[in-house]
């Protein structure tokens, strides 16, 4: 490894009001290195990278690039020094092509030399193995392609330091592989790559060195070859943690939900779910795997009565619930809990406090015109204790809580309604390890109580460990249902890409 | 860049109120410049505005009479705004409420007074509500833009009342003067402590509205829908039904304003019956942040401005529009202060200084 310090961050401190986000953080990154920045939510990773990319000004501390001290007053300064940041949320213009997005906001001549540009883009693409059609419109692109455009954009601007903020959160396993290949190519070209993540297996796969942050402070920097996931987790969380997810064994095999030939149409009358049939039993966790947008959202919403069903039946304890609206489903005493993909947009009211959010699902069961918040206040206090929700108080707006705590409020509410069937979509998205494991434990607790759980997940490792069976969706079609005990990641990956594997071992026939 | 914009997270409720109060004072200060240009002493002008509003029993009564329609209309608008249904149509709803009440006042004056007044109020509420319902149904069914729709409905209502005044309802005994006959005494709201009973209605409505928004299921549903329709749907609410019934209430309250104004203030139906309250109430509602108790305070402030503005016209021979300019100024500054309540500007220099000191 080239031992010349490329980026040196020294004693950076950054406070927001009374919150110290970064405290005397130091970090050194060399050329030709992939450096992982590991830490739980709120440990200060993103703040530090925002400082490095010129979005925030540090309160104190200094940054050296190539040995020279630099000071950024805006992101523009950092871009000029070759720092390119890929944010979690892409900043692309949907109706533009990749090429147009790449040059948008660039100073230069008024007219765009299209041919020359295409050539330049092609050169960069070839150099780093970025596979992109420069004339494709952004709205026609998959998430992975959009990310590639983002990377191409910063490379085009001459970046040789690439910062990726949780880049894999939205990608399919195949896309992750591609991204890692790009990162490795950049490393070989002598660039420095900093990846922010809290996914342990990614850290072990891709990075050369790892710096762990906790509560705004540097805990240490280690070489990948000298460390283990266990050690890293302990550094990150500050205590010993068991990384394996227990699979609770239950005896009940009584089916509670039968979905038969379910077909739903999206706004363009395209089949978002195509003839899907499956069964879910009490005390079972049925995982749903699939590339984002394969029909997971529609499946959840159709069962919860939020999405019109074009064809097929949804039998809940033998009764067809198709065509009933959510209120009817609640009124009928069917306990269905649904955690929407977009927690704040749908599950919770962002500006309201915990009490009002807890009352949201069951205020209709109260008698009379008035709403009684007193019992819910107690419930809120109880949930805070039980789930260790960090909040200044029950009357604090939920949007100001951290992602993990928001999720705990939501899941806590759903579980408190004593459901028989719990539908959860991406319940750990954006959560750190500690919070994720709390959620898994909660789900297992429910399973032990004979609750049937439909778990829409994205992390295949988690699906394999947590679920009893996993069904794979691709383009709205049910590809197959596998036994999680015998299935492999590779098998799931292939199925997600649409390869039917009914003949293979471990695949149950489609119900 | 000389400044940076940073989001505030640390502002308490009291501080936010102080910001808004400061904004009002800054607006008065800026208006002073304008008054000086007109050749008057701003202090004298402000003092006489206060005198016009509070200096005499008559002035105080007039101020209260001007506060009443603002309060009631603001409460109506607040219900719609809480759902993020931008009801700009209060003006039209007031007209239609006044029209419906007038129908009974003019044609059924023989009904005993209490019964007639109740009928008039009910008619005003219902027709004002129905007038608001039309854009609400279109929005619920076809997703039309309620802002434009309610605004246009105002002109239809205005022209309808104008037509009645100049046409079929014109008083034959008014010597050809285009005016509708004055109401019979049975159709005029009684006075309590020298001011028509509307002030009691306003106070009662404030309490009802506060309880409605904060302590009833429907109030809770309205708040949830205003925040996110998807969440409301997910929680099993019938969003369309809630929007439609709530707009009926919103328009109905505005229609009630129309009945009160026609009955107690104008004693007849006329194109002047709204006095622009429907538009001014949008401002007061917004400044009061949709909170019922604050609406009372803000409406009173605006009534003082209107009443004081009328007074300085006679006292200083300056047009009443000066008061309108002050109103506009206040609105401008208070809306501007919202920015500073949510964000703060930091001089880049101060950052450098902190660095020199070694930071916190």
């Amino acid at each position: 490894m080239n031992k010349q310090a490329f980026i040196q961050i020294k004693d950076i401190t950054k406070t927001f009001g009374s919150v110290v986000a970064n405290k005397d953080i130091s970090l050194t990154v060399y050329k030709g290195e992939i450096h992982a920045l590991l830490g739980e939510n709120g440990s200060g990773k993103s703040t530090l990278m925002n400082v490095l990319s010129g979005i925030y000004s540090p309160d104190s501390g200094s940054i050296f690039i190539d040995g020279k001290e630099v000071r950024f007053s805006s992101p523009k300064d950092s871009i000029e020094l070759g720092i390119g940041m890929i944010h979690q949320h892409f900043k692309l213009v949907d109706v533009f092509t990749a090429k147009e997005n790449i040059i948008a906001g660039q100073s230069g001549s008024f007219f765009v030399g299209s041919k020359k540009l295409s050539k330049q883009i092609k050169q960069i693409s070839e150099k780093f193995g970025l596979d992109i059609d420069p004339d494709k419109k952004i709205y026609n692109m998959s998430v992975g392609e959009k990310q590639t455009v983002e990377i191409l954009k910063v490379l085009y601007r001459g970046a040789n330091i690439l910062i990726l903020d949780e880049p894999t959160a939205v990608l399919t396993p195949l896309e992750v592989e591609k991204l890692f290949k790009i990162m490795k190519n950049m490393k070989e070209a002598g660039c420095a790559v900093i990846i922010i993540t809290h996914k342990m297996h990614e850290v072990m796969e891709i990075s050369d060195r790892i710096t762990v942050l906790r509560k705004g402070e540097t805990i240490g920097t280690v070489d990948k070859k000298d460390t283990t996931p266990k050690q890293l987790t302990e550094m990150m969380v500050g205590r010993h943690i068991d990384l394996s997810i227990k699979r609770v064994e239950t005896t009940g095999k009584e089916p509670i939900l039968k979905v038969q030939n379910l077909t739903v149409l999206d706004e363009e009358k395209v089949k978002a779910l195509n003839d899907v049939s499956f069964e879910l039993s009490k005390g079972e966790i049925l995982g749903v795997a699939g590339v984002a947008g394969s029909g997971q959202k529609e499946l959840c919403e159709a069962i919860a009565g939020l999405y019109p069903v074009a064809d097929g039946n949804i039998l809940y304890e033998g009764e067809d619930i198709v065509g009933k609206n959510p209120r009817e489903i609640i009124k009928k005493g069917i306990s269905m809990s649904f955690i929407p993909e977009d927690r704040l947009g749908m599950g919770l009211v962002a500006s309201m406090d915990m009490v009002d959010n807890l009352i949201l699902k069951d205020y209709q069961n109260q008698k009379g015109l008035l709403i009684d918040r007193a019992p819910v206040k107690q419930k809120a206090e109880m949930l805070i204790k039980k789930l260790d929700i960090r909040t200044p108080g029950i009357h604090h707006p939920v949007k100001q809580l951290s992602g993990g705590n928001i999720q705990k409020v939501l899941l806590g509410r759903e579980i408190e309604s004593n459901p028989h069937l719990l539908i959860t979509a991406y319940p750990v998205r954006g959560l750190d390890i500690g919070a994720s494991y709390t959620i898994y434990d909660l789900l297992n607790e429910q399973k032990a109580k004979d609750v049937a759980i439909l778990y829409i997940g994205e992390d295949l490792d988690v699906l394999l460990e947590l679920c009893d069976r996993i069904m794979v969706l691709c383009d709205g079609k049910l590809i197959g249902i596998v036994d999680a005990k015998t299935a492999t990641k590779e098998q799931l990956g292939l199925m997600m890409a649409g390869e039917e594997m009914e003949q293979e071992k471990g695949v149950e026939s489609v119900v | 860049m000389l400044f940076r914009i940073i989001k505030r997270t640390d502002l308490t409720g009291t501080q936010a109120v102080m910001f808004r109060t400061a904004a009002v004072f800054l607006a008065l200060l800026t208006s002073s410049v304008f008054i000086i240009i007109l050749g008057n002493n701003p202090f004298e002008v402000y003092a006489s505005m206060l005198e016009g509003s509070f200096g005499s029993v008559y002035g105080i009564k007039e101020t209260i009479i001007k506060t009443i329609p603002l309060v009631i209309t603001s409460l109506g608008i607040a219900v719609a705004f809480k759902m993020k249904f931008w009801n700009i149509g209060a003006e039209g709803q007031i007209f239609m409420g006044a029209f419906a009440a007038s129908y009974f006042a003019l044609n059924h004056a023989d009904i005993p007074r209490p019964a007639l007044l109740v009928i008039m109020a009910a008619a005003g509420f219902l027709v004002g509500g129905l007038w608001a319902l039309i854009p609400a149904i279109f929005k619920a069914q076809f997703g039309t833009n309620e802002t434009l729709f309610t605004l246009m409905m105002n002109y239809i209502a205005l022209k309808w009342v104008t037509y009645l005044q100049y046409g079929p309802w014109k008083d034959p005994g008014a010597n050809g003067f285009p005016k509708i006959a004055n109401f019979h005494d049975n159709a005029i709201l009684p006075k309590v402590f020298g001011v028509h009973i509307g002030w009691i209605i306003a106070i009662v409505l404030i309490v009802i509205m506060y309880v409605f928004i904060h302590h009833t299921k429907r109030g809770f549903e309205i708040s949830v829908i205003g925040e996110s329709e998807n969440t409301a749907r997910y929680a099993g609410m019938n969003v369309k039904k809630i929007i439609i019934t709530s707009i009926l209430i919103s328009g109905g309250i505005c229609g009630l304003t129309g009945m009160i104004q026609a009955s107690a203030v104008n004693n007849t139906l006329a194109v002047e019956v709204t006095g622009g309250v429907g538009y001014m109430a949008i401002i007061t509602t917004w400044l009061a942040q949709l909170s019922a108790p604050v609406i009372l305070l803000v409406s009173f402030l605006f009534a003082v401005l209107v009443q004081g503005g009328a007074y300085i016209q006679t006292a200083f021979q300056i047009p009443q529009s000066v008061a309108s300019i002050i109103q506009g100024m206040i609105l401008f500054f208070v809306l501007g202060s919202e920015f500073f309540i949510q964000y703060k500007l930091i001089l880049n220099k101060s950052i450098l200084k902190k660095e020199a000191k070694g930071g916190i």
Side-chain angles (χ1 to χ4, degrees):
Chain A
M1 196 187 293
N2 191 343
K3 271 293 168 190
Q4 183 192 352
F6 197 11
I7 311 160
Q8 205 173 6
I9 295 175
K10 263 191 190 162
D11 303 325
I12 290 279
T13 296
K14 174 76 189 167
T15 56
F16 295 101
S18 58
V19 180
V20 185
N22 282 171
K23 193 181 171 209
D24 295 330
I25 288 190
S26 299
L27 173 72
T28 309
V29 182
Y30 298 103
K31 278 188 177 166
E33 154 177 271
I34 296 177
H35 198 108
L37 205 53
L38 191 64
E40 294 207 290
N41 281 358
S43 60
K45 308 172 297 230
S46 294
T47 306
L48 183 65
M49 288 305 111
N50 281 328
V51 165
L52 185 56
S53 60
I55 293 169
Y56 296 150
S57 290
D59 298 337
S60 66
S62 37
I63 301 168
F64 299 87
I65 306 275
D66 252 344
K68 257 187 287 180
E69 181 165 7
V70 292
R71 178 162 285 151
F72 307 132
S73 60
S74 80
K76 220 175 161 178
D77 299 348
S78 82
I79 290 169
E80 271 165 22
L81 282 164
I83 298 173
M85 178 142 177
I86 312 291
H87 294 271
Q88 262 180 56
H89 303 284
F90 304 139
K91 295 169 166 62
L92 296 170
V93 185
D94 263 357
V95 293
F96 280 11
T97 61
K99 197 162 76 185
E100 284 163 342
N101 266 288
I102 289 164
I103 55 158
Q106 289 284 82
S107 50
S109 60
F110 184 75
F111 294 101
V112 179
S114 187
K115 267 189 194 155
K116 194 177 135 211
L117 186 68
S118 290
K119 213 175 125 192
Q120 276 178 322
I121 291 174
K122 224 176 150 195
Q123 274 176 355
I124 300 171
S125 303
E126 275 168 11
K127 185 172 168 196
F128 297 107
L130 299 156
D131 182 18
I132 204 84
D133 172 7
D135 294 311
K136 196 169 175 182
K137 302 260 191 207
I138 300 298
Y139 61 78
N140 282 328
M141 290 188 177
S142 69
V143 181
E145 283 176 298
K146 284 181 195 170
Q147 192 175 54
T148 313
V149 175
E150 282 280 9
I151 296 174
L152 200 49
K153 198 166 83 181
V154 300
L155 291 178
Y156 177 79
R157 291 175 186 189
N160 45 18
I161 300 165
L162 192 67
I163 305 169
L164 298 132
D165 190 0
E166 301 208 17
T168 59
V170 289
L171 300 184
T172 64
L174 219 68
E175 286 170 327
V176 171
E177 238 170 75
K178 264 191 199 163
L179 173 71
F180 284 179
K181 214 177 259 167
I182 296 169
M183 286 167 66
K184 278 176 191 151
N185 288 337
M186 290 198 62
K187 170 184 160 182
E188 266 150 40
C191 300
V193 181
I194 303 176
I195 174 172
I196 300 179
T197 183
H198 53 239
K199 289 185 185 162
M200 202 56 67
H201 61 270
E202 285 174 4
V203 173
M204 294 311 286
E205 184 180 338
I206 188 78
S207 61
D208 300 310
R209 289 191 314 141
I210 302 137
T211 296
V212 181
L213 300 186
R214 187 169 78 226
K215 288 178 184 159
E217 293 181 56
T218 320
I219 299 303
T221 300
V222 290
D223 262 22
K224 184 187 69 184
K225 45 184 191 298
D226 305 331
T227 187
T228 62
K230 203 165 160 258
Q231 188 201 352
L232 287 173
T233 311
E234 281 176 27
M235 284 170 76
M236 201 164 118
V237 188
R239 62 191 145 87
H240 175 75
I241 200 163
D242 187 4
L243 269 185
S244 63
I245 307 170
K246 275 181 226 105
R247 199 195 323 263
V248 178
E249 292 304 328
T250 52
T251 48
K253 271 287 163 212
E254 192 187 333
I256 186 166
L257 182 79
K258 275 188 196 173
V259 172
Q260 297 170 335
N261 310 102
L262 183 66
T263 300
V264 307
L265 305 177
D266 66 11
E267 277 152 20
E268 276 105 46
K269 302 285 165 214
V270 177
K271 283 179 184 172
L273 281 178
N274 190 353
D275 202 21
V276 169
S277 302
F278 65 92
E279 269 187 29
L280 176 58
S281 303
K282 287 181 182 173
E284 177 187 45
I285 301 183
L286 176 60
V288 179
V291 181
S294 297
Q296 297 96 322
K297 180 169 170 268
E298 289 79 4
L299 178 63
C300 295
E301 294 195 357
I303 299 173
L306 292 163
Y307 209 95
V309 171
D311 198 19
N313 304 314
I314 301 169
L315 300 176
Y316 175 84
E317 293 196 315
E319 186 190 5
D320 195 352
I321 56 170
V322 167
K324 300 202 187 315
N325 68 38
R327 184 178 287 211
E328 281 173 316
I329 290 173
I330 295 167
K331 268 188 191 160
K332 278 190 167 297
I334 298 173
S335 316
M336 182 118 56
S337 298
F338 174 61
I339 295 167
E341 215 171 309
D342 174 8
R343 258 167 266 143
L344 273 178
M346 207 164 170
L348 296 171
V349 185
S351 66
M352 290 188 173
D353 61 19
M354 240 184 106
V355 175
D356 276 1
N357 272 299
L358 290 182
I359 216 168
L360 190 63
K361 280 299 270 293
D362 57 19
Y363 78 96
Q364 282 160 355
N365 301 331
Q366 293 190 359
K367 287 196 185 85
L369 286 174
L370 298 182
I371 221 166
D372 183 8
R373 289 184 172 83
V376 187
K377 278 182 193 163
Q378 287 174 358
K379 202 195 244 180
E381 301 281 6
M382 187 270 289
L383 275 180
I384 288 177
K385 272 197 206 112
K386 187 171 154 193
L387 303 182
D388 189 26
I389 298 171
R390 308 263 166 83
T391 166
I394 56 171
H395 294 301
H396 202 75
V398 291
K399 69 174 167 199
Q400 289 180 9
L401 307 184
S402 73
N405 286 310
I406 290 176
Q407 188 67 291
K408 281 183 197 168
V409 171
L410 183 56
L411 202 62
R413 178 184 78 199
E414 300 303 330
I415 286 169
E416 276 310 301
S417 68
N418 291 321
H420 298 302
L421 171 60
L422 187 66
I423 302 173
T424 69
Y426 312 113
V428 297
R429 177 174 279 179
L431 301 196
D432 54 53
I433 292 200
S436 298
Y437 277 78
T438 315
I439 302 289
Y440 301 143
D441 288 345
L442 278 174
L443 291 177
N444 268 329
E445 225 173 81
Q446 291 303 302
K447 179 186 175 185
K449 283 192 205 159
D450 248 7
V451 174
I453 298 171
L454 190 66
Y455 178 92
I456 320 287
E458 42 196 350
D459 190 329
L460 293 181
D461 293 300
V462 172
L463 277 165
L464 287 169
E465 283 184 66
L466 181 70
C467 303
D468 297 296
R469 293 183 302 152
I470 301 167
M471 63 186 231
V472 183
L473 291 175
C474 178
D475 279 339
K477 273 189 233 146
L478 182 61
I479 302 301
I481 300 181
V482 296
D483 187 337
K485 280 180 205 130
T486 52
T488 62
K489 250 168 101 172
E490 291 67 33
Q491 187 186 1
L492 286 174
L494 283 172
M495 288 172 77
M496 280 164 73
E499 287 194 30
E500 310 221 5
M501 309 190 71
E502 265 120 324
Q503 290 81 17
E504 293 256 340
K505 203 179 107 190
V507 181
E508 290 179 14
S509 62
V510 176
V511 184
Chain B
M1 251 195 321
L2 202 58
F3 294 104
R4 312 188 131 243
I5 298 165
I6 291 178
K7 207 169 164 86
R8 276 180 201 276
T9 46
D10 49 345
L11 211 61
T12 63
T14 340
Q15 280 172 309
V17 170
M18 279 169 61
F19 263 83
R20 294 195 184 101
T21 316
V24 172
F25 278 102
L26 278 174
L28 291 178
L29 199 71
T30 315
S31 305
S32 306
V33 177
F34 180 69
I35 293 169
I36 291 169
I37 292 171
L38 284 181
N40 290 293
N41 181 338
F43 291 105
E44 280 175 22
V45 170
Y46 291 144
S48 74
M49 279 179 87
L50 288 177
E51 197 194 322
S53 318
F54 302 109
S56 61
V57 176
Y58 169 80
I60 294 172
K61 275 187 191 171
E62 280 301 306
T63 308
I64 295 173
I65 287 171
K66 292 197 165 66
T67 311
I68 295 166
L70 273 178
V71 169
I72 300 178
T73 311
S74 302
L75 291 174
I77 293 174
V79 175
F81 277 17
K82 193 90 189 163
M83 283 191 307
K84 299 222 164 74
F85 183 101
W86 307 117
N87 177 14
I88 309 297
E91 188 85 354
Q93 288 140 24
I94 295 173
F95 270 126
M96 294 316 274
F99 150 70
S102 302
Y103 172 81
F104 288 97
L106 295 169
N107 297 311
H108 299 281
D110 49 331
I111 301 174
R113 195 179 186 189
L116 178 61
L117 288 174
V118 170
I119 291 172
M120 283 166 65
F125 186 93
L126 197 70
V127 175
L130 289 175
W131 198 249
L133 202 59
I134 300 169
I137 289 174
F138 272 84
K139 182 180 166 82
Q141 291 301 330
F142 309 110
T144 53
N145 179 316
E146 75 277 14
T147 314
L148 288 174
F149 208 132
T150 49
L151 184 66
M152 293 305 147
M153 297 284 284
N154 288 345
Y155 297 107
I156 299 175
L158 169 67
K159 292 302 165 193
W160 170 242
V161 171
T162 313
Y163 163 71
L164 290 175
Q165 187 178 338
Y166 284 78
W169 284 16
K170 192 163 95 175
D171 183 8
N175 298 325
F177 195 70
K179 113 176 245 316
I180 296 169
N182 274 0
F183 290 176
H184 186 270
D185 281 351
N186 274 0
I188 292 175
L189 285 167
K191 288 184 176 176
V192 180
F193 300 124
V195 179
H196 70 79
I197 199 165
W199 68 271
I200 297 182
I201 301 176
I203 289 173
V204 170
L205 275 177
I206 287 173
V207 176
I208 291 178
M209 202 46 71
Y210 182 82
V211 173
F212 176 70
I213 293 291
H214 294 277
H215 296 286
T216 67
K217 290 181 184 176
R218 182 48 53 89
F220 178 70
E221 287 170 336
I222 288 174
S223 309
V224 172
I225 289 177
E227 193 70 39
S228 158
E229 267 187 43
N230 269 337
T231 305
R233 243 162 40 87
Y234 155 76
M237 297 178 192
N238 188 337
V239 175
K240 278 184 189 175
K241 196 178 125 199
I242 295 166
I243 289 185
I244 286 174
T245 52
S246 308
I247 292 304
L248 191 69
I249 294 172
S250 169
I253 295 172
C254 297
L256 188 63
T257 308
M259 177 268 173
I260 293 171
Q261 293 305 96
S263 164
V265 180
N266 293 58
N267 297 345
T268 185
L269 178 66
V271 287
E272 297 85 19
V273 74
T274 65
V277 160
Y279 296 115
M280 199 186 283
I282 296 170
I283 302 173
T284 49
T285 312
W286 193 251
L287 292 187
Q289 307 260 300
L290 315 188
S291 151
V294 186
I295 280 175
L296 178 64
L297 183 75
V298 177
S299 298
F300 184 69
L301 253 166
F302 268 68
V304 168
L305 277 175
V306 173
Q307 179 56 25
Y311 187 77
I312 55 168
Q313 192 171 12
T314 41
F316 289 86
Q317 305 297 315
I318 52 176
Q320 195 183 354
S321 37
V322 170
S324 305
I325 287 175
I326 299 175
Q327 278 172 30
M329 212 65 102
I330 290 180
L331 181 69
F332 184 78
F333 273 81
V334 173
L335 291 182
S337 76
E338 298 301 316
F339 174 83
F340 290 97
I341 286 167
Q342 287 188 18
Y343 302 95
K344 58 184 165 188
L345 293 181
I346 288 190
L347 253 177
N348 263 357
K349 253 190 211 160
S350 69
I351 295 170
L352 295 178
K353 240 185 246 163
K354 264 187 209 160
E355 272 180 21
K357 269 190 261 163
I360 306 162

